[in-house]
Structure formats: C-alpha cells, structure tokens
C-alpha cells in the first residue's frame, strides 16, 4: 500500500536445476479496477426438443470479500444476480468456478447456502493442545432459510478450481443439489494455513493447521471434487493439483454431517435432488456433442502429444497458431504481457463465451431444465 506511481521492489528466489536464482521485480502502484473480477451473469438462449430456454451463465472468478462496512462481497453480489435470474425467468443456471482458485471461506459457505435451505456446508479440523492433544472440528453452516435459486443448477469446474471452490461444489454435490461438470476433479486443496510473523527482518512462516471436510464427510485434499460429467481439458495432467506438492497431507474422511434442513421438497424454494439416473441421462446427451467438437478434439490431440513426449503441456501450446505468426511473441517469454491484457472487455467476454467447456456447460444446463 502506498501512493499511486510509487515503486515496490520484490526480491524473488526461484528454485533452478543446480542453484537458486535471485532476481528483482519492480512494480508501480496504480489503481486496480476489480470489475472484471466480480461475479457477473449472462443469458444464453437454447432450444431443446422444440422448447425455447434461457440459461443464466454466472461467472464467479474468486470468492472476494471486503471487511469494511458495505464493502463488496462475492456472496452479496451472487444473491443479487440470482434475484435477477429469477426476475428474468431463467430456466437454468451454470455456475462457472472453472478458474476460481478460492478466497473468502465465509462467502463460500454463504454462496453454497443460496441454493438450498439451512444446513452444514463444511467442517474445519484443528488440533487442540490443552493438556491432552486432540483433533476438534468447527462446523460452518448456512443459517439463511431462503433458497435464492431453486431451479436446475450446473457447476462448471476444472483442476484449477481450488479451496473455496471445492467447498461450494463439494457441498452442492453431497446434497445432490447440482450436476458437477468439466474437470475430472478439482485441484485438491483441502488444507487450512495460518501465517505467523517471525522477528523483524525474518519475514513470516505459513503452517498447515487443519483440513476441510465437505458435508459428505470427505476432505477435498488431493481428490478434490470429482466431476459427474467430464470434458477433455488441458489441465487434466498429473502435474496439476495439490497431491504433487512436496509433503502435502494425505486425504482423510470423517462421518457425514448432512443437514435435513437443507432439503426443501415443497412450497416456495423447493428444489429437486439430482440422482445417478439423471446424471446418466445428461451424460448420454453430452458425450456425442463433446466427441464431435473440434475444440475438444484439439485438446485431446495436445494431451496425446504430452504423453508421447513425457512432459507437462504448457498452456501456451494450446493457443491456435500462436507461434506461426511472426508478429506474435511466444507466450512465456520474459517481459511479454498476457495477450488478453490488450483486449477490450467485450472482446474478452466474446472469447470467454466461445470456450468449448462454456458452450457445453450451457447445453447440459438446458438439457437439465427440460
């Protein structure tokens, strides 16, 4: 924090093959507009079996929160957008968490509760050392009885969906409230960290102090949240996920702690559970579309190349003809800006709406609405 235009210098240590690299990065303070990082909804029309449908695509890039009075929060914004979807008579909602790496735990609990009645969402373990060392669990629950969106719900995830995203998608899957689609599983970040400051000049140390468990009783550690319907993805590689990190904790299980009050079967706010039979029907309709998609086929081809060369696929490898254009720099070169930075908001939205996983998520939501 400081005056606009002033510089911040970061000294970076990076692990290299034979030695540690040291270099400095200079940042210039400026005002950052967070509009593009806030929750936003778009509406897409679909026709299934002669029936015209309106699908709301709700993109939540992060679980943001501002502790100041009346400050923005993901949960507050989501509640407003769902009210808008109801007013606009949307037939189904896609909640996009595919690039959401987490954030505010309280907002995650509140957002999960927007889709069911009152109930437990997550438990957080912690070690107590008062005389006898033992593990205790704190339960975080939604206490608001209003169901803000009782209609058909699809949650789009990937292996980049982590932490709070896994808490929300895991709870909605445990309560059979939503269909989870996209990634084979999410990132698998199911641990809780505490930052403790060291003496002046020595910085701080981050320590793992507990684990998260969704209402079904399973921790999201390593396994993440499994997709009900899986799409080909560039991130579906062994190099992506908490489980590949050094010394990461193994997953655990505790008894389920689902709440009967979450289920609303009649009256205002009533919602229908999504069982295995419904998932199978949706998958049977989705699989042929995915198989015939040129964009998904390109991802499959790239993943095949990875297996042959035996190393991780770089995201830059997926850009169409990126290296063939001499006017474009290769992604990853030092000093190059992300190509998205030069696009207008409308251009970024157009590119977002053209993503194969977004298109298919909307198709699955339309099928679910029917």
């Amino acid at each position: 924090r400081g005056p606009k235009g002033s510089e911040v210098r970061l000294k970076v240590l990076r692990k290299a093959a034979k030695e540690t690299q040291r270099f400095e990065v200079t940042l210039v303070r400026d005002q950052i507009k967070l509009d593009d990082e806030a929750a936003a909804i778009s509406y897409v029309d679909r026709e299934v079996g002669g029936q015209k449908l309106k699908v709301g695509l709700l993109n939540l890039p992060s679980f943001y929160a501002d502790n100041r009075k009346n400050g923005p929060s993901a949960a507050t914004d989501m509640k407003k957008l769902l009210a808008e979807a109801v007013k606009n008579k949307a037939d189904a909602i896609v909640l996009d968490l595919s690039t959401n790496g987490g954030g505010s735990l309280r907002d995650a609990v509140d957002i999960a509760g927007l889709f069911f009645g009152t109930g437990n969402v997550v438990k957080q373990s912690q070690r107590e050392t008062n005389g006898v060392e033992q593990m205790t669990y704190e339960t975080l629950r939604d206490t608001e009885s209003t169901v803000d969106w009782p209609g058909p719900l699809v949650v789009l995830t990937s292996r980049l969906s982590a932490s709070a995203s896994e808490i929300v998608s895991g709870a909605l899957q445990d309560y059979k409230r939503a269909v989870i689609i996209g990634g084979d599983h999410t990132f698998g970040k199911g641990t809780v960290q505490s930052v403790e400051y060291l003496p002046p000049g020595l910085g701080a140390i981050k320590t793992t102090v507990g684990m998260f468990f969704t209402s079904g009783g399973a921790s999201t550690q390593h396994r993440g949240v499994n997709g009900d319907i899986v799409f080909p993805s560039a991130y579906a590689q062994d190099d992506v996920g908490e489980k590949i990190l050094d010394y990461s904790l193994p997953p655990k299980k505790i008894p389920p702690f689902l709440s009967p009050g979450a289920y609303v079967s009649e009256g205002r706010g009533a919602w229908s559970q999504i069982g295995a039979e419904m998932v199978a029907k949706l998958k049977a309709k989705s699989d042929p579309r995915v198989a015939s998609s040129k964009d998904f086929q390109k991802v499959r081809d790239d993943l095949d190349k990875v297996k042959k060369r035996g190393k991780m696929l770089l995201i830059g490898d997926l850009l169409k003809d990126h290296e063939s254009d001499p006017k474009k720099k290769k992604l990853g070169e030092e000093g190059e800006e992300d190509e998205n930075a030069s696009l207008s908001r409308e251009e970024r939205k157009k590119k977002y709406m053209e993503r194969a996983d977004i298109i298919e998520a909307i198709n699955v939501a339309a099928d679910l609405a029917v």
Side-chain angles (χ1 to χ4, degrees), residues 174-229:
D174 288 345
Y175 281 108
K176 298 182 179 180
R177 176 64 187 90
V179 183
I180 312 300
I181 67 174
D184 52 348
H185 60 75
T186 54
F187 189 83
K189 200 278 184 187
T191 54
V192 186
Q193 279 74 40
S194 174
V195 177
E196 298 182 27
Y197 292 95
L198 299 174
L202 296 180
I205 185 170
K206 182 185 286 186
T207 309
T208 297
V209 295
M211 299 184 76
F212 288 125
F213 299 83
T214 61
S215 43
S219 66
T220 54
Q221 181 70 352
H222 287 195
R223 74 175 188 95
V225 177
N226 293 326
D228 296 314
I229 301 174

Side-chain angles (χ1 to χ4, degrees), residues 207-317:
T207 309
T208 297
V209 295
M211 299 184 76
F212 288 125
F213 299 83
T214 61
S215 43
S219 66
T220 54
Q221 181 70 352
H222 287 195
R223 74 175 188 95
V225 177
N226 293 326
D228 296 314
I229 301 174
V230 178
F231 305 156
S233 171
Y235 304 114
Q237 304 175 69
D238 290 339
D239 304 72
V240 181
E242 176 103 351
K243 63 184 178 183
I244 62 102
L245 301 180
D246 293 339
Y247 313 115
S248 65
L249 295 178
K252 292 183 178 180
K253 278 191 174 184
I254 61 174
F257 50 101
L258 295 162
S259 300
Y263 302 97
V264 182
S265 58
E266 58 183 20
R268 186 176 181 179
W271 55 271
S272 301
Q273 295 185 50
I274 297 174
E277 184 178 352
M278 175 59 72
V279 171
K281 289 181 179 179
L282 295 172
K283 188 175 186 303
K285 291 186 176 182
S286 176
D287 285 350
R289 291 192 297 256
V290 171
S292 63
S293 167
K294 293 182 180 180
D295 289 333
F296 280 131
Q297 184 57 52
K298 185 179 186 305
V299 174
R300 291 192 196 92
D301 293 342
D302 287 331
L303 290 174
D304 287 341
K305 293 177 184 177
V306 173
K307 292 179 181 178
K308 290 179 181 178
R309 72 185 186 187
K311 71 178 194 178
M312 182 179 177
L313 174 69
L314 300 177
I315 303 308
D317 296 341

